[in-house]
Amino acid sequence: QVQLVESGGGLVQPGGSLRLSCAVSGSIFSIDAMGWYRQAPGKERELVAAITSGGVTNYADSVKGRFTISRDNAKNTVYLQMNSLKPEDTAVYYCNAGGWAGPYSPFEGWGQGTQVTVSS
């Protein structure tokens, strides 16, 4: 069974920074794409940023230039560095990972979510 555990959320003032982490553990053969999603109250979950096993990244237009996704493959961990935070970034952030638990066993998992609140 694969588990994703997030950390790093909290309350920050506009213009501030936060760094989210998500560690993937369990029976893992390999991890392909990893990503961060967010869901604000009354809105659908949306992709924030994603990164492939080779380091190719993709960002939502709303966070380009402010957020940076990275991963440490040795630690099975993905990070989201969030700078110049805005009130509209307030949401529950979820990490997501997909890969293989075995040669014929794909997996996709979600973290439990971590609250990010940007407010003065």
Side-chain angles (χ1 to χ4, degrees):
Q1 187 174 358
V2 177
Q3 293 183 325
L4 285 72
V5 178
E6 302 156 354
S7 61
L11 172 65
V12 64
Q13 292 186 343
S17 298
L18 281 175
R19 189 190 193 209
L20 306 183
S21 300
C22 175
V24 184
S25 62
S27 178
I28 301 168
F29 184 71
S30 65
I31 301 176
D32 297 331
M34 306 179 84
W36 290 94
Y37 291 71
R38 67 186 180 188
Q39 188 167 19
K43 294 187 177 181
E44 294 186 353
R45 190 174 297 189
E46 62 175 357
L47 175 68
V48 176
I51 185 168
T52 68
S53 58
V56 177
T57 58
N58 180 43
Y59 295 94
D61 288 343
S62 59
V63 306
K64 283 181 180 176
R66 300 188 297 122
F67 291 11
T68 302
I69 189 171
S70 60
R71 61 191 283 173
D72 184 333
N73 291 329
K75 296 182 179 180
N76 292 334
T77 299
V78 62
Y79 306 97
L80 185 68
Q81 178 66 44
M82 305 184 292
N83 298 329
S84 302
L85 282 160
K86 303 175 181 180
E88 50 263 45
D89 295 317
T90 296
V92 178
Y93 284 70
Y94 299 89
C95 70
N96 171 271
W100 300 86
Y104 307 102
S105 302
F107 78 87
E108 181 182 10
W110 291 89
Q112 79 281 7
T114 186
Q115 178 70 47
V116 171
T117 302
V118 185
S119 175
S120 55

